[in-house]
Amino acid sequence: MSQTTHQSARGVEHAATATEPNTARERLLQTAAQLFYGRGINSTGVDLILAESKVAKGSLYHHFSGKQALVLAYLQRERDDWQRSATASDDLTLDSGARLDALFSGVVHSVHAGTFHGCPFTNAIIERPDDAEVRAAVDGYCDQLRQHLAAITGESPTSALVQQLFIVYNGALTALKLTRDLEAVESARCLAQQLLHEQQAQRLRG
Amino acid sequence: MSQTTHQSARGVEHAATATEPNTARERLLQTAAQLFYGRGINSTGVDLILAESKVAKGSLYHHFSGKQALVLAYLQRERDDWQRSATASDDLTLDSGARLDALFSGVVHSVHAGTFHGCPFTNAIIERPDDAEVRAAVDGYCDQLRQHLAAITGESPTSALVQQLFIVYNGALTALKLTRDLEAVESARCLAQQLLHEQQAQRLRG
DNA sequence: TCTCGATTAGACGGATCTGTCTAGATCAGA
DNA sequence: TCTGATCTAGACAGATCCGTCTAATCGAGA
């Protein structure tokens, strides 16, 4: 999600997952991520990935068992990137409001960078609704997101507040994809702040 | 969206768009809608549609110029169905809260009916991100939804409240697709009611 | 120097997909 | 009865897509 909802990784210099920078495998994964995310998984053939990454077909099948493995590696990388950039942009010295704000600012930045194409995991499960492996990756991402929201708010990942922020955040991404209007993000940001304030007011009272 | 977020049309007896009930064209469109929505547009070949609808290939290209035309007809039908079932389930004698509730109840019903696969328009634009005709259909749907929310709340379609409800509603659908947990819909429903109440309280004060 | 893993270039087969076409059946209306 | 629109069954071409395979190159390390 790095390229999507957070300013980061792909495109910049970027040190990857700790792999050497310019191996065929790395170029492959990087190109696949761009194409899968930007044009869709199902409408991106391996031949296009090979042409754009300037990697030979043999190398692809040397490193990956097939396109499916490449898709899963792409989703795994999105998870890693999301985690990395979410925690990187999360300044623990700030208050909850500012930390929540950073989440939405990441989305805005990706729009300005022209790299926003929706949530990679939502996109993936829509393109491959019956794929158990994609489903597992999506489940993992949902847990990540909820835990991040829980950390910010100081609530449990299963709390009502986290659940609602989960909806507002995903609503922002979907509405933005639908309308291509950044107003959706601003409305969502504002709504999220409202919810946070209500929780804080309630804490003071209770 | 009938089959997705509202209990209705497809599957039941159903009188269609005013077309004769059992023509090849009608069977085609009905089957295409089911398959496009349930399995995805890109991963549904015309041959599968033909086999399931028991229509000959010649008939398809007699009524439609190609798969793309079938896709657009499918989206147009989803818009019509959504409009029909949204207005049908919208009891004007009830208060705003109950009318807003009906919207979310539609989603719950489609889950129980086993026909929920997300928002057809979100799915379509994700599968075909660069398709201008799909984009137009999506834009039209967004307007419909906003106008419906505006009618319920008595606000302008561009008001902050409608904008936020738009996000919450789409957030509910996306979160439900991601997690397959109806709790997402209940949280969203509750959140939507909160927003509505705040508006009403504000109206009394202001 | 030798070896082995990584890599390239590209041919190839088999599957699938879209769209065209032919040939004939059915049916309703003039 | 004749006509024309609708429909069926299926072959077919052309494109694309995935994965396998061969033959050859490169580079690092033993």
Side-chain angles (χ1 to χ4, degrees), chain B residues 14-49:
Chain B
H14 159 271
T17 3
T19 328
E20 303 84 61
N22 214 20
T23 74
R25 184 193 153 92
E26 191 53 28
R27 257 180 302 150
L28 216 38
L29 207 38
Q30 203 163 316
T31 310
Q34 265 169 220
L35 295 175
F36 283 158
Y37 180 57
R39 311 177 3 126
I41 294 172
N42 289 337
S43 27
T44 299
V46 295
D47 290 329
L48 178 60
I49 298 173

Side-chain angles (χ1 to χ4, degrees), chain B residues 72 75-76 79 121 132-142 144:
Chain B
L72 297 178
L75 291 177
Q76 183 57 50
R79 282 184 60 183
F121 302 96
E133 299 180 299
V134 169
R135 163 55 60 188
V138 167
D139 289 345
Y141 161 72
C142 288
Q144 270 182 217

Side-chain angles (χ1 to χ4, degrees), chain A residues 24 54 56 59 62-63:
Chain A
K54 298 193 196 313
S59 300
H62 175 75
H63 291 290

Side-chain angles (χ1 to χ4, degrees), chain A residues 124-135:
Chain A
I125 200 62
I126 284 173
E127 287 208 272
R128 296 240 212 284
D130 297 325
D131 187 319
E133 299 180 298
V134 168
R135 164 55 60 190

